[in-house]
Amino acid sequence: MKSVHEKEKKYLLKYINKSDNWDREQIVYQWYTDVSGEKHTKEKVIFNLLDASVIYVRISKKRVGLGESEKTVEYLELKDLDPSYYLGKPFVLKRRSIKNKVFLDKMIRSNGACDFLLEDEGDGPLTDWEEIGLLRDVTDDESYYNQNMCTPFSEQDFPQLQFLLECFSMNR
């Protein structure tokens, strides 16, 4: 288990011109299993596209300010994953690219608040890159926090997750 202090800024984008892989390329299934006040717990299945691996994690976060939280990451055993447990739970599905401390999310399944969201966990000010242009900072707008962009994990989502698990597993 690992604990970290996280400070991030969130941005909507005016353009994306990404043509190459970033340091990490992922598909992220993310469920909220407990949300209460300033705390939440989420579980993720992360499909790493560049090395064909899968990670299963539980993350507990306590918000200490807008864009700032204390979080604990616990790595879980993939063999213990029961996708049916997540049916009906609040859920987002995203395609994520990571470079340095910048996370570019393409929302695949969400409430439709945005198509793309950029999160910056770096220390300096983020400016436009050739690949991405910032539209506006939405760190202070809680409607762009993933826990507020969820839809229920459904019977239609379930077989897609099982398919990806099968594609990425040599043992299942």
Side-chain angles (χ1 to χ4, degrees), residues 21-119:
N21 287 332
W22 284 11
D23 301 336
R24 289 185 277 172
E25 298 287 341
Q26 305 172 333
I27 296 172
V28 179
Y29 278 74
Q30 180 171 299
W31 301 269
Y32 287 83
T33 57
D34 185 33
V35 177
S36 57
E38 300 300 315
K39 296 180 183 178
H40 69 260
T41 301
K42 59 188 172 185
E43 295 181 8
K44 297 181 181 187
V45 175
I46 303 168
F47 296 92
N48 291 305
L49 301 175
L50 299 180
D51 68 3
S53 65
V54 182
I55 299 168
Y56 182 32
V57 296
R58 178 179 297 123
I59 300 168
S60 298
K61 274 189 173 184
K62 180 180 181 193
R63 191 166 72 176
V64 295
L66 284 174
E68 196 168 350
S69 60
E70 299 291 334
K71 77 177 182 181
T72 303
V73 179
E74 176 185 359
Y75 290 88
L76 305 172
E77 294 289 329
L78 192 57
K79 66 179 176 56
D80 296 333
L81 174 67
D82 176 7
S84 66
Y85 167 75
Y86 298 107
L87 287 170
K89 298 235 184 281
F91 157 76
V92 293
L93 172 59
K94 53 193 171 185
R95 171 72 164 80
R96 173 169 271 184
S97 300
I98 304 170
K99 185 190 301 188
N100 302 319
K101 293 184 176 187
V102 175
F103 300 73
L104 172 62
D105 291 340
K106 176 183 180 184
M107 306 309 287
I108 298 169
R109 283 270 283 111
S110 71
N111 68 359
C114 64
D115 292 327
F116 291 90
L117 187 66
L118 187 108
E119 297 177 1

Side-chain angles (χ1 to χ4, degrees), residues 153-171:
F153 185 66
S154 71
E155 294 283 345
Q156 291 75 34
D157 300 311
F158 183 81
Q160 294 172 351
L161 173 59
Q162 287 184 304
F163 175 77
L164 282 174
L165 288 167
E166 184 65 32
C167 288
F168 277 74
S169 176
M170 298 302 281
N171 302 323

